[in-house]
Amino acid sequence: MKKVSIIVPVYNVEKYLAKCLDSLVNQTLEDVEIIVVDDGSKDNSKQIIDEFQTKYPDKIKSFVKENGGLSDARNFGLDRASGDYVGFVDSDDYVTPTYCEKLYKALIENNTDISICKYTFIDTKGKEIPQVNDKRVQLFSHIEALALLLEDGQLKSYAWGKLFKKELLENFSFL
């Protein structure tokens, strides 16, 4: 069993996918599995995934499914995650090398259920778009986190940029 499972739903993102996967296989936290779910891509995303899985067989688990949309791909990956903690990274995004380590350490050191990190938007020219909230990592108990993240049983926030204790997501599904 891994410490952290990162789920990457993929659909026609060949332009961004290699950068995303490269950022994930190079995490400073060693005990990470990357679950890549190809949601029926029609471009070269599958070939890119296959190359990464061949190069990093101990890190990448690859799955192909019929197209069902982003939520369906996330649920599919969640059903296959073996980590004690689960995170989501969109396939057109990339993360810093310490992304998993910082979120994981924050959870362990503070005995919390969800950690949330700062993110930076980058425009199509590679320029950073400033953000208002500059907190590096935020921690919440499961009750606080669920109140912030859920509304009427549905996620009202982005799935990415967070690390969840897996047991919190056992009876959860993306809609």
Side-chain angles (χ1 to χ4, degrees):
M1 182 180 287
K2 297 286 188 175
K3 289 180 184 171
V4 173
S5 298
I6 298 294
I7 298 166
V8 183
V10 173
Y11 183 74
N12 293 344
V13 288
E14 67 183 353
K15 182 177 176 182
Y16 309 102
L17 186 56
K19 187 170 186 174
C20 173
L21 294 177
D22 192 54
S23 75
L24 291 169
V25 297
N26 289 301
Q27 289 296 295
T28 55
L29 182 67
E30 292 290 322
D31 205 10
V32 176
E33 73 175 354
I34 303 155
I35 298 172
V36 185
V37 181
D38 183 347
D39 193 36
S41 294
K42 302 200 183 316
D43 64 359
N44 290 317
S45 293
K46 172 86 169 83
Q47 289 84 347
I48 295 166
I49 295 165
D50 290 346
E51 288 171 19
F52 271 85
Q53 186 175 33
T54 298
K55 191 171 181 181
Y56 303 98
D58 58 323
K59 293 185 179 187
I60 296 199
K61 291 182 180 178
S62 165
F63 300 93
V64 178
K65 58 176 276 320
E66 185 177 316
N67 182 261
L70 178 61
S71 293
D72 190 56
R74 285 181 176 152
N75 292 332
F76 186 94
L78 192 54
D79 288 343
R80 287 148 182 83
S82 68
D84 294 325
Y85 297 89
V86 177
F88 301 89
V89 172
D90 287 350
S91 52
D92 60 347
D93 294 342
Y94 58 94
V95 297
T96 64
T98 58
Y99 174 77
C100 289
E101 182 177 6
K102 286 183 177 182
L103 287 171
Y104 176 77
K105 280 186 175 182
L107 287 169
I108 298 304
E109 291 171 2
N110 295 282
N111 193 29
T112 55
D113 298 323
I114 300 174
S115 58
I116 301 172
C117 69
K118 176 187 180 227
Y119 54 89
T120 303
F121 284 113
I122 309 285
D123 69 18
T124 56
K125 296 178 180 142
K127 183 178 176 189
E128 282 189 23
I129 301 170
Q131 300 298 304
V132 176
N133 182 357
D134 195 23
K135 293 182 181 175
R136 299 291 176 208
V137 174
Q138 295 174 284
L139 303 167
F140 302 96
S141 71
H142 70 280
I143 293 172
E144 293 169 323
L146 292 175
L148 286 169
L149 298 174
L150 297 177
E151 184 173 287
D152 297 327
Q154 294 187 40
L155 191 66
K156 66 177 182 178
S157 177
Y158 301 113
W160 47 261
K162 300 163 186 65
L163 195 58
F164 301 86
K165 188 179 258 187
K166 186 178 180 191
E167 65 189 47
L168 287 179
L169 302 176
E170 286 176 357
N171 295 314
F172 177 85
S173 65
F174 291 93
L175 301 176

